[in-house]
Amino acid sequence: MKALVKFGLVTVLLTVLHTAAKAQKLFFIFAHGQYSSPVQTSFKDNYGYGLGGEVGAAIGANKTFFTGTVGYSFFDARSGTEGGNLTIIPMKLGIRRYILPAKLIYLHADAGVANIKVKGSDTRTSGFTADVGAGVKLGPMELGVAYDGFNYEGSFRSFVAFKAGWRIGL
C-alpha cells in the first residue's frame, strides 16, 4: 500500500512539474528575416542596404533567457565600390530579457564572431560582432529592431536591422 501511495505522489509531483515547466516555456526557437540599413558613414557610402536572416534558440526561465544565434546578411555594393557585395555570417551568444509581465516586449544583447567575405575576393576574414535591440512578441510572431555591427578592416561597421519572424516555444 505504501508503495502505491509513493508511486501516486511521485506521479502527481512529476505531472505538476511538467505542467509548470511547459507553461513557462523554458526553451524556444526562433527565426527572423531582416532588412538592414548601414549607419556608419563609410559603410553607408559603399553599401546601400542589407538583407538576411537568423535562426536561434533560447533557454531560461521567467523573464530572462540565454540565446544562441546563427545568421546570414548580404549587403549590396553601391556602384563604384571596390570589391563587391559583402556577406556576413554571424554566430552570437546573448541574453534576452522580457520587461512586461505578459512577455510582450523584450530587450536583447548579443556578441560573437562573424565570418566576412567580399564578393570577388578569395579572402575570408573573421571579426567581432555585436548587437543590442528590442522587440515585441505578438503570439508566435516577433517584430524587432537592433543596432548591429561587426569589426572589419580595423573599424566597426554598424547598421540598423529591422526584423520579423516566428517564435516557437517547446
Side-chain angles (χ1 to χ4, degrees), residues 146-164:
Y147 184 78
D148 207 330
F150 58 97
N151 194 27
Y152 179 64
E153 295 182 337
S155 68
F156 195 74
R157 313 295 171 103
S158 56
F159 58 95
V160 174
F162 301 95
K163 303 177 180 188

Side-chain angles (χ1 to χ4, degrees), residues 44-159:
K44 185 187 280 190
D45 290 345
N46 292 319
Y47 297 94
Y49 65 90
L51 296 174
E54 67 183 359
V55 295
I59 188 166
N62 203 4
K63 294 182 180 183
T64 304
F65 290 81
F66 296 99
T67 61
T69 60
V70 176
Y72 177 88
S73 293
F74 162 88
F75 286 90
D76 185 51
R78 292 191 187 272
S79 178
T81 298
E82 188 177 318
N85 298 331
L86 183 68
T87 302
I88 307 159
I89 301 172
M91 294 165 280
K92 301 176 189 175
L93 295 175
I95 190 165
R96 179 187 281 203
R97 174 80 178 171
Y98 289 91
I99 58 174
L100 290 178
K103 291 187 179 178
L104 294 177
I105 298 176
Y106 62 87
L107 303 175
H108 71 89
D110 304 287
V113 64
N115 184 326
I116 305 159
K117 184 173 185 332
V118 175
K119 184 178 180 181
S121 169
D122 293 332
T123 307
R124 288 187 179 268
T125 61
S126 294
F128 173 76
T129 182
D131 69 75
V132 294
V136 61
K137 183 180 75 140
L138 306 168
M141 187 174 168
E142 291 185 339
L143 301 173
V145 63
Y147 184 78
D148 207 330
F150 58 97
N151 194 27
Y152 179 64
E153 295 182 337
S155 68
F156 195 74
R157 313 295 171 103
S158 56
F159 58 95

